[in-house]
Amino acid sequence: MAQEPRIPGQVETIYGSWDLSSVPAFTGGFINFGYWRDVPRDRSLTEDDRLRTEQELYRLVLGELGRTDGLRAVEVGCGLGLGCALALREFRFAEVCGVDLHPAQLDRARIANADLLAEHPERLRYVRGAAEAMPLPDGSADCLYSVNAAQHFPDLREFAHEADRLLCPGGRLALATFFAPGVCGVEELPRLLPTYADGLDLPHVIGDFAEALMRSGFTGVRTVSIGEDVWAAYDRWLAQTPLKDMWPRRFLEAYEQGYLDYFLVTADSAGAR
């Protein structure tokens, strides 16, 4: 019998008993920082604004996959599975499989998406697995995507290998989350942000991840900073929540000091194996 994947301590707590999706900073349950490009800057932000930014980040990532109609997709780090549901409804995948390390998140995903699961049992499913070892066959996905999750992956080199294994020839990867732009962030982020100090988030360097993808056989690897449309507006939202005087607002400080940024990453799997 395969061994159950190990859940790091802080990941166990934050996504288990604490249930990060219930925190006001993540209104709507998507658990991402949002893509704020089209949100008005001349008025207070609403919960509808916040939810839309979370959805727009998914649309940005999914839009980078190119043609999706009738294809097979895997989301790595699916959380409550709301992004999987959006992908199925709006991007017309033949099937979407959400993978997450935490069983509590998968339980919540099945509850949150019960109607869609009942309507399309053959097109939507949620399975437990680590980003570095997903319980899916070789070449079983045309598209692989991840949103606001890779900062938790212990080994991005192993994730890159696993992504290459899962994608069929000519498949495509699209991912968005926060990385250190350079090695200085590796030392400074734990000083600024408790999530790095306690090991919940890992200070991965964006260039190292790009190199890992290329070494795993991916081509056309592209990393684009989208921090201008994430950090300042997200900080405006935090200022309106009960977290306004707490450490999460240091994300903007880390960005302004050059230790952290938000990146959109795309890559193509090899044309032949």
Side-chain angles (χ1 to χ4, degrees):
M1 179 180 292
Q3 186 175 2
E4 291 290 337
R6 186 184 71 85
I7 308 176
Q10 280 300 102
V11 172
E12 168 67 42
T13 301
I14 296 300
Y15 293 99
S17 58
W18 194 30
D19 183 9
L20 191 61
S21 65
S22 66
V23 175
F26 298 112
T27 293
F30 279 84
I31 318 182
N32 69 58
F33 288 177
Y35 185 64
W36 302 77
R37 171 168 288 185
D38 296 325
V39 174
R41 303 186 181 188
D42 58 353
R43 60 165 173 78
S44 296
L45 299 169
T46 67
E47 288 193 357
D48 285 344
D49 290 329
R50 178 64 181 112
L51 176 58
R52 182 160 56 89
T53 69
E54 293 174 285
Q55 294 167 333
E56 286 301 313
L57 184 57
Y58 265 95
R59 292 180 180 119
L60 177 69
V61 171
L62 291 164
E64 290 293 324
L65 293 172
R67 183 181 72 84
T68 56
D69 193 353
L71 300 184
R72 303 160 299 167
V74 172
E75 178 177 353
V76 188
C78 67
L80 270 66
L82 303 179
C84 294
L86 185 151
L88 194 68
R89 288 188 174 111
E90 297 186 16
F91 288 80
R92 301 173 61 85
F93 287 103
E95 58 184 69
V96 178
C97 178
V99 179
D100 202 274
L101 181 63
H102 207 304
Q105 291 292 74
L106 294 170
D107 288 343
R108 295 176 186 125
R110 294 183 183 110
I111 293 169
N113 301 285
D115 290 346
L116 194 59
L117 284 164
E119 182 181 356
H120 298 290
E122 75 290 353
R123 296 181 61 204
L124 178 63
R125 61 187 173 122
Y126 298 104
V127 302
R128 187 179 180 202
E132 302 82 8
M134 289 178 268
L136 301 170
D138 294 1
S140 58
D142 303 293
C143 303
L144 187 146
Y145 67 95
S146 182
V147 177
N148 220 113
Q151 74 277 7
H152 301 316
F153 299 171
D155 192 329
L156 289 181
R157 291 173 298 179
E158 288 300 315
F159 167 65
H161 287 308
E162 184 71 343
D164 182 62
R165 180 187 72 80
L166 284 183
L167 283 167
C168 66
R172 188 162 171 83
L173 174 148
L175 178 151
T177 196
F178 45 99
F179 292 86
V183 293
C184 60
V186 174
E187 294 184 0
E188 295 298 332
L189 288 171
R191 179 180 63 82
L192 279 172
L193 289 160
T195 56
Y196 284 98
D198 64 20
L200 175 65
D201 296 326
L202 302 173
H204 298 308
V205 177
I206 186 62
D208 292 345
F209 181 44
E211 182 179 357
L213 289 171
M214 289 185 282
R215 287 183 177 273
S216 294
F218 283 91
T219 62
V221 177
R222 186 166 177 256
T223 64
V224 178
S225 166
I226 58 170
E228 183 178 354
D229 294 310
V230 175
W231 298 113
Y234 179 63
D235 190 70
R236 282 179 58 210
W237 170 254
L238 289 175
Q240 298 179 199
T241 75
L243 299 174
K244 62 183 179 181
D245 296 320
M246 297 177 65
W247 61 263
R249 297 194 68 187
R250 295 184 199 161
F251 278 105
L252 178 60
E253 180 183 349
Y255 168 61
E256 291 176 337
Q257 292 186 20
Y259 301 135
L260 186 70
D261 201 354
Y262 213 98
F263 288 90
L264 177 63
V265 182
T266 53
D268 298 306
S269 66
R273 294 180 185 276

